[in-house]
Amino acid sequence: MSRRSTRSSAAAEKPLSGRVAVVAGATRGAGRGIARALGEAGAVVYCTGRSVRGEPSPYARPETIEETAEMIVAAGGTAIAVRVDHTDEPQVEALFARVQREQKRLDVLVNSAAGEDPRMGGWEQFWKSDLSYLPEGLRHAVVSHLITAKHGAPLMMKKRRGLIVEVTEGDFLVSGSGNIMRDLSKAGQKSLAMSFADALRSHGIASVAITPGFLRSEMMLQHFGVTEATWRDAGKKDPHFLQSESPLFVGRAFAALAQDPDV
């Protein structure tokens, strides 16, 4: 095999080689799946979030950003875990200063923080809702995304290219789910994606929102008492679960989008 064909083969296997990504909320769920898929495609992936070893998730979950980074490295990729509270603007600013210092570029930014906040899981008529948690919940699910994009976009502007994605839920701009926090959060994330797209178009930067389907996240697998290897067994309890998708599925779909030469 010639050197030229070897290079072509390597490029096909690692189409995002040389690209740099930040995945905010890479701890679990869709964020973890996207981080893994970007690493699989050759990108250097900064896995960020609040959950690290010794400082567990506020949701009492065991997953950590270090685990996500280790999965990427074990698969032959490059990943860096950085603990960041994306509601804290100085921490976010410091994150992107580090990315600029270490990589000199940013190509992909994924906003997936607070996607599985348990407070979005219940159902109750809004006039019966306890709204005391709402300001904090929206700060984590929406304001954190704005803060992150605010400090990530200028790095992309330097090269006049890049992709920002809002990981959200539901195929419509607005919908009634029976949970006012979920409705406001998901509508806010979609609105951010449109605002970013409009503001950044002239800078050569794209912005989209993606809506995973019935996701086989770690929380869902635990809920059904199955693993990623035995997930089909959950179909005996809920046939709809047989239509669920792995977080890696949405991750690979997103990684394919990030390969667009115009992004």
Side-chain angles (χ1 to χ4, degrees):
M1 183 180 291
S2 70
R3 179 181 297 180
R4 184 172 182 177
S5 60
T6 301
R7 287 175 179 169
S8 298
S9 176
E13 292 174 4
K14 301 287 186 180
L16 295 183
S17 180
R19 307 276 185 96
V20 177
V22 168
V23 181
T27 316
R28 64 184 68 82
R32 173 174 279 187
I34 292 171
R36 290 178 61 191
L38 289 170
E40 181 181 79
V44 174
V45 185
Y46 284 76
C47 303
T48 73
R50 294 177 292 169
S51 301
V52 295
R53 292 190 179 106
E55 295 184 57
S57 160
Y59 314 151
R61 295 292 310 171
E63 300 86 16
T64 67
I65 54 173
E66 292 102 332
E67 285 180 353
T68 303
E70 288 164 3
M71 290 176 180
I72 294 169
V73 171
T78 302
I80 302 149
V82 185
R83 187 185 187 281
V84 179
D85 180 344
H86 284 267
T87 67
D88 186 322
E89 191 163 358
Q91 287 189 39
V92 175
E93 188 174 14
L95 165 68
F96 288 107
R98 175 176 173 177
V99 172
Q100 174 63 24
R101 184 173 63 252
E102 294 178 350
Q103 308 297 334
K104 305 296 189 293
R105 65 185 296 155
L106 176 65
D107 301 281
V108 178
L109 172 59
V110 180
N111 269 323
S112 190
E116 290 191 307
D117 190 322
R119 293 170 292 193
M120 292 192 236
W123 185 95
E124 190 173 48
Q125 297 291 3
F126 72 88
W127 58 86
K128 297 179 181 179
S129 299
D130 174 9
L131 301 180
S132 60
Y133 66 83
L134 195 57
E136 180 191 5
L138 293 177
R139 188 165 63 92
H140 284 284
V142 181
V143 177
S144 70
H145 291 213
L146 175 57
I147 291 171
T148 303
K150 172 186 173 181
H151 292 281
L155 273 68
M156 297 179 175
M157 291 178 186
K158 294 176 183 294
K159 293 188 176 294
R160 295 192 57 78
R161 64 176 297 160
L163 175 63
I164 298 176
V165 65
E166 287 290 321
V167 181
T168 184
E169 184 179 321
D171 297 332
F172 301 100
L173 178 59
V174 293
S175 60
S177 69
N179 184 302
I180 195 64
M181 178 174 164
R182 184 192 303 140
D183 291 345
L184 290 173
S185 297
K186 303 310 178 182
Q189 291 162 359
K190 293 167 188 172
S191 180
L192 285 178
M194 291 190 294
S195 295
F196 297 158
D198 185 60
L200 295 172
R201 186 177 296 110
S202 63
H203 295 277
I205 300 167
S207 171
V208 299
I210 60 171
T211 58
F214 192 169
L215 201 67
R216 289 199 301 277
S217 67
E218 297 82 1
M219 294 175 75
M220 280 291 100
L221 292 173
Q222 182 179 26
H223 172 75
F224 283 103
V226 293
T227 67
E228 185 62 36
T230 65
W231 69 271
R232 288 181 178 82
D233 293 344
K236 300 170 185 176
K237 299 179 182 179
D238 183 352
H240 295 96
F241 199 63
L242 296 176
Q243 301 175 30
S244 65
E245 59 192 44
S246 164
L248 261 178
F249 179 82
V250 67
R252 286 170 176 160
F254 175 71
L257 174 64
Q259 294 168 31
D260 189 316
D262 292 330
V263 167

